[in-house]
């Protein structure tokens, strides 16, 4: 009799151990557990840690709650100003409702990916090329709103959307390069003209100052001569007044025996 009791106790213990082993589940810190009992959602979402389910009857599905980085393949489209571009982006999202992410959509990652591609093509068609190149922050916000609207019902929250790169045709790149070069040249000419205008004002003021003191002009001329003479490879040209040349011409004629004719008396 005792032997039979021991055998029954051992069998019950073994069955209990097997039941406990088949019912025990571990949910990790970054996961949530969703239990389906005979195909129906039951109870609350299981929190991280140790949990038990009913073997054979229950099925525990673990849903990752971490932020998912989803690259969006490059989408080709025509902008509002008729320029063909290829744009790729990246979407950061996370599951906020594990039950809805498991029940309401078959594969929430695939659904978010397809929605992101569709929204990206829509954004390309509604935007100008200048907006894609320089106003990305606004486009990122619009793209995030377009993806987040349907994703809320799936238990998914879009954390952030970023446009990574905008690829342009080679002809458009060359045209933009020529445009940028012409713009830089225009600004250089404007700056040069403004510098000339400012310099002319300063020179005019200096001329007025020198006109009041004639010796200042001579001193300035001598300073210029000294500055030019310091360069060994420079040719120095000195200006002479016309009156000085005429004065030098008259003594040469007198030395040669030519006397200036005097007018006849009347």
């Amino acid at each position: 009799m005792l032997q039979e009791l021991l055998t029954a106790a051992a069998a019950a213990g073994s069955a209990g151990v097997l039941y406990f082993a088949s019912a025990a589940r571990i949910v990790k810190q970054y996961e949530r557990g969703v239990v389906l009992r005979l195909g129906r959602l039951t109870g609350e979402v299981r929190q991280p840690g140790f949990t038990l389910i009913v073997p054979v009857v229950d099925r525990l599905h673990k849903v990752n709650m971490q932020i998912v980085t989803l690259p969006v393949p490059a989408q080709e489209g025509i902008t509002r100003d008729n320029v063909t571009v290829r744009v790729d982006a990246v979407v950061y999202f996370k599951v906020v409702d594990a039950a809805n992410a498991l029940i309401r959509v078959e594969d929430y990652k695939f659904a978010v990916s397809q929605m992101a591609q569709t929204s990206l093509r829509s954004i390309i068609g509604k935007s100008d090329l200048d907006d894609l190149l320089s106003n990305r922050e606004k486009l990122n916000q619009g793209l995030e709103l377009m993806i987040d609207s349907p994703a809320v019902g799936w238990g998914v929250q879009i954390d952030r959307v970023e446009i990574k790169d905008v690829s342009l045709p080679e002809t458009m790149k060359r045209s933009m390069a020529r445009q940028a070069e012409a713009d830089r040249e225009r600004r250089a000419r404007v700056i040069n003209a403004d510098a000339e205008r400012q310099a002319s004002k300063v020179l005019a003021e200096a001329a007025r100052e020198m006109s009041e003191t004639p010796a200042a002009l001579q001193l300035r001329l001598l300073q210029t001569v000294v500055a030019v003479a310091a360069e060994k490879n420079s040719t120095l040209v000195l200006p002479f007044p016309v009156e000085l040349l005429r004065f030098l011409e008259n003594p040469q004629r007198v030395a040669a025996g030519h006397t200036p004719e005097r007018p006849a008396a009347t």
Side-chain angles (χ1 to χ4, degrees):
M1 185 65 181
L2 181 58
Q3 185 66 29
E4 294 177 355
L5 291 176
L6 293 176
T7 303
S14 300
V17 171
L18 292 176
Y19 179 85
F20 182 81
S22 59
R25 294 292 186 273
I26 299 295
V27 180
K28 297 179 181 179
Q29 181 64 39
Y30 55 85
E31 296 177 336
R32 297 296 183 270
V34 179
V35 178
L36 297 180
R37 180 167 296 169
L38 296 178
R40 296 175 61 90
L41 181 64
T42 180
E44 297 181 354
V45 175
R46 304 296 175 89
Q47 297 300 315
F50 179 81
T51 185
L52 293 174
I53 62 172
V54 179
V56 181
V57 178
D58 292 346
R59 291 290 184 271
L60 179 66
H61 298 271
K62 299 178 182 179
V63 180
N64 194 324
M65 307 295 289
Q66 292 176 311
I67 294 178
V68 179
T69 303
L70 180 66
V72 182
Q75 302 297 310
E76 184 172 351
I78 300 177
T79 61
R80 191 165 56 181
D81 49 354
N82 298 323
V83 178
T84 303
V85 296
R86 288 177 60 88
V87 182
D88 58 349
V90 59
V91 179
Y92 301 90
F93 69 93
K94 62 181 178 180
V95 176
V96 294
D97 191 333
N100 286 339
L102 182 67
I103 301 298
R104 295 196 175 185
V105 61
E106 181 181 2
D107 187 347
Y108 64 88
K109 292 183 180 180
F110 181 75
V112 171
S113 175
Q114 294 301 309
M115 180 58 63
Q117 295 179 38
T118 304
S119 301
L120 183 57
R121 286 194 296 268
S122 179
I123 284 290
I124 293 174
K126 295 178 181 179
S127 305
D128 295 330
L129 179 60
D130 293 338
D131 292 335
L132 289 174
L133 296 177
S134 60
N135 197 12
R136 293 190 182 182
E137 187 65 29
K138 182 179 179 180
L139 296 180
N140 291 338
Q141 295 176 359
L143 188 58
E144 179 180 348
L145 182 61
M146 293 178 66
I147 301 175
D148 190 61
S149 297
V152 171
W154 304 337
V156 176
Q157 177 183 348
I158 304 301
D159 188 70
R160 191 172 184 179
V161 180
E162 292 287 345
I163 294 177
K164 294 172 57 178
D165 188 26
V166 178
S167 300
L168 300 174
E170 292 298 328
T171 55
M172 180 57 64
K173 291 181 180 179
R174 290 193 293 268
S175 299
M176 294 178 66
R178 290 195 298 268
Q179 179 184 0
E181 183 178 358
D183 184 69
R184 288 194 297 268
E185 184 177 356
R186 177 186 61 83
R187 286 183 290 177
R189 291 183 178 180
V190 170
I191 294 174
N192 190 21
D194 185 68
E196 291 291 340
R197 180 177 60 84
Q198 296 179 8
S200 63
K201 291 182 179 180
V202 175
L203 289 175
E205 184 178 354
R208 286 193 296 269
E209 294 289 338
M210 290 182 179
S211 63
E212 297 178 358
T213 307
L217 184 60
Q218 298 297 328
L219 292 175
R220 181 58 184 164
L221 176 61
L222 293 176
Q223 290 177 356
T224 304
V225 171
V226 171
V228 174
E231 298 292 336
K232 302 299 182 180
N233 56 351
S234 300
T235 301
L236 184 61
V237 179
L238 295 178
F240 285 94
V242 177
E243 292 78 5
L244 180 60
L245 296 178
R246 291 176 180 175
F247 175 77
L248 294 176
E249 181 181 2
N250 291 332
Q252 290 178 359
R253 290 183 178 181
V254 173
H258 297 283
T259 58
E261 299 180 357
R262 296 180 179 178
T266 56

